[in-house]
Amino acid sequence: MVIPGKPQNVAVIGAGILGASIAWRLAQRGIRVTLIDKGQPGHGASSHSFAWINAGAKQPIGYHNLNRRSLEMWRRFAAGIGDDGDLDSVGLRWGGKVSWESDPVAAEALVARVRQLQSWGYPTRLVDADELERLEPALEIGPVAAAEYSPNEGQVEPQMVVDACLRRLREIGCEVIAGAEVHGFEQDDDGRVRGLAIASGSRDVDAVVVAAGTETTRLAALAGVNVPQAESPGVVIRTDPLQPLLSNVPVVYAPPLGDGRREIHLRQCADGRLMIGEGDQESLAEDDSQDHADDLLTRACHYLPGLAGARAVPVPVGWRPMPLDGYPVMGFASEAPNLYVALTHSGVTLAPALSQLAAQEICDGMPADAVLGPYRPQRFAGLTPDEVAAATHPRATRLR
Ligand SMILES: Cc1cc2nc3c(=O)[nH]c(=O)nc-3n(C[C@H](O)[C@H](O)[C@H](O)COP(=O)(O)OP(=O)(O)OC[C@H]3O[C@@H](n4cnc5c(N)ncnc54)[C@H](O)[C@@H]3O)c2cc1C
């Protein structure tokens, strides 16, 4: 579903990492872009993100490949938006990820996953305890039943990415409107969006991108478009700023400490604060208390003794934008043919690729079906309640 001719005047609703990236890509293509956010740009899910850039945790292979394509685009994307091409100005840091298991059953799963990724040509490999210690001497690893190193993975700072996109947009004269909620669409008889209703009045548009994160479902519904989501709360706490602790490998997944506990993951931000979460990238968590933050810090300290004396800073629950089946929703809607939906989990990893693909589809009118075909909004049309239940991501506690 494409619009004929290149639109001149496009509004992007939502200035998280995905919307800001799409706005920048569109502006690069000569489009007059207006980027609108109801709050502060970057303060949605993007501000809660662990922001690990990876493809190793993604399946099946088609989705893994999309993430991998994006991972490999990050350096050039960051150079494009960064101040004078400086990767540090968006907090991009490579060096890989290590993970290990002390439990034999969990170790078997880790080895099987590494073997699968290797069969997909992904540069991950098994390492022994000695190599793990050499890779990241700051870690106190304890017993190791199996360990893995993925050297191509990294991290970035979503707020710095959003801020950089906004700077570039403003430099070329695009409008960024913060604190303005879009609360409706003016549509013609064919469903095409002609204008947006925002607090300060209406704005005419040739096309609109809805990149409103968890709010995408509610907003798209106002234009008659069904984009179902699952609720997916997550908690990643922070410490106060510390001197650099991890010298080589920025992203660490360490095994559970005791039965019934989950693994923890940690990384150090550009400002020196450590981020600590538990479980995997999609684990549900709603405890944002000081006690829980203290507990996470204690567990992290076990593996990273340099954390001793740090202060745990709780962070409120973050809600992941989570399409019903867990996969991206990208493309023009049938019900509103010039409304482009951009909703995804793993949006930090995926921002470079999805923004490039969205801008290309919007500007060139040629669907990138070979890549985005499985991720169209149309896949949710006319689902019965049973089909919705069957399609629902296994981690979804309830529908949004
Ligand atoms: C705890 C947690 C950990 C994560 N870890 C990772 C990770 O390690 N790696 C990874 O790749 N991804 C991770 N993610 C996912 C990733 O952070 C998200 O996919 C990404 O941030 C989504 O960006 P977005 O721009 O789509 O949404 P958001 O950042 O939520 O931005 C949406 C914006 O839309 C605005 N908006 C909403 N409604 C309206 C309206 N009506 N009018 C105007 N504006 C509106 C909001 O104010 C908001 O700023 C994690 C997410 C969470 C919560």
Side-chain angles (χ1 to χ4, degrees):
M1 191 72 54
V2 293
I3 46 175
K6 183 177 170 184
Q8 301 299 310
N9 171 20
V10 178
V12 178
I13 306 173
I17 194 165
L18 188 56
S21 303
I22 293 172
W24 178 73
R25 296 276 198 193
L26 288 169
Q28 292 285 298
R29 296 290 309 268
I31 304 269
R32 196 164 78 250
V33 181
T34 308
L35 178 61
I36 307 170
D37 199 286
K38 71 173 187 177
Q40 284 301 309
H43 283 205
S46 301
S47 68
H48 293 267
S49 187
F50 186 60
W52 165 38
I53 300 171
N54 80 93
K58 313 295 167 58
Q59 350 209 19
I61 189 166
Y63 184 54
H64 164 86
N65 282 339
L66 179 65
N67 280 269
R68 187 167 173 184
R69 170 196 286 241
S70 199
L71 182 156
E72 287 164 1
M73 291 168 74
W74 248 110
R75 192 181 300 272
R76 181 182 283 211
F77 177 69
I81 58 172
D83 299 336
D84 300 319
D86 177 13
L87 306 187
D88 286 345
S89 69
V90 296
L92 184 65
R93 186 176 165 207
W94 298 112
K97 180 214 57 168
V98 288
S99 69
W100 71 100
E101 297 289 355
S102 48
D103 169 71
V105 176
E108 270 181 38
L110 183 147
V111 171
R113 179 64 181 153
V114 169
R115 294 299 181 220
Q116 182 184 49
L117 288 168
Q118 288 177 325
S119 78
W120 293 350
Y122 195 61
T124 186
R125 61 186 168 83
L126 296 170
V127 294
D128 61 20
D130 289 346
E131 186 172 3
L132 185 55
E133 271 170 2
R134 277 199 304 278
L135 279 168
E136 190 42 76
L139 293 171
E140 188 74 53
I141 56 179
V144 177
E148 159 266 345
Y149 174 47
S150 298
N152 62 331
E153 298 181 354
Q155 66 177 44
V156 75
E157 302 303 339
Q159 187 65 56
M160 293 168 82
V161 173
V162 170
D163 290 345
C165 287
L166 266 53
R167 281 197 296 278
R168 302 292 85 85
L169 285 166
R170 287 183 171 123
E171 276 167 13
I172 52 179
C174 290
E175 202 178 355
V176 177
I177 308 175
E181 180 167 359
V182 175
H183 51 78
F185 300 99
E186 292 154 21
Q187 289 170 272
D188 66 16
D189 292 345
D190 297 327
R192 297 176 68 80
V193 176
R194 298 297 181 196
L196 305 181
I198 56 178
S200 53
S202 66
R203 296 184 77 88
D204 293 342
V205 291
D206 296 339
V208 61
V209 178
V210 179
T214 56
E215 296 282 309
T216 295
T217 301
R218 194 182 56 79
L219 202 54
L222 295 177
V225 181
N226 179 28
V227 188
Q229 272 190 78
E231 291 207 334
S232 183
V235 171
V236 182
I237 67 134
R238 287 171 175 72
T239 65
D240 48 350
L242 303 163
Q243 79 283 8
L245 291 177
L246 295 164
S247 32
N248 297 323
V249 184
V251 181
V252 174
Y253 272 71
L257 284 172
D259 289 345
R261 312 301 291 270
R262 294 191 284 190
E263 71 265 42
I264 57 164
H265 45 270
L266 48 95
R267 73 170 184 95
Q268 194 161 19
C269 302
D271 64 5
R273 294 179 302 160
L274 243 89
M275 299 184 85
I276 310 167
E278 65 177 334
D280 61 30
Q281 255 208 310
E282 291 161 359
S283 291
L284 304 179
E286 293 195 65
D287 187 350
D288 52 11
S289 65
Q290 181 70 55
D291 282 354
H292 181 60
D294 291 340
D295 178 52
L296 279 175
L297 176 59
T298 304
R299 288 152 67 190
C301 235
H302 181 93
Y303 293 113
L304 186 58
L307 271 172
R311 189 169 59 87
V313 181
V315 176
V317 175
W319 297 88
R320 301 178 184 95
M322 183 60 79
L324 184 71
D325 56 8
Y327 298 109
V329 187
M330 298 293 296
F332 286 109
S334 307
E335 302 83 352
N338 63 341
L339 182 152
Y340 194 98
V341 179
L343 172 71
T344 195
H345 177 47
S346 287
V348 173
T349 300
L350 286 168
L354 294 185
S355 61
Q356 182 254 320
L357 290 162
Q360 187 177 311
E361 291 195 316
I362 292 166
C363 294
D364 299 334
M366 179 65 197
D369 279 339
V371 188
L372 290 181
Y375 308 121
R376 299 304 189 190
Q378 286 76 10
R379 72 184 185 274
F380 298 115
L383 287 185
T384 64
D386 282 351
E387 288 166 335
V388 166
T392 300
H393 189 269
R395 293 284 176 75
T397 42
R398 48 196 177 251
L399 299 184
R400 185 169 286 282

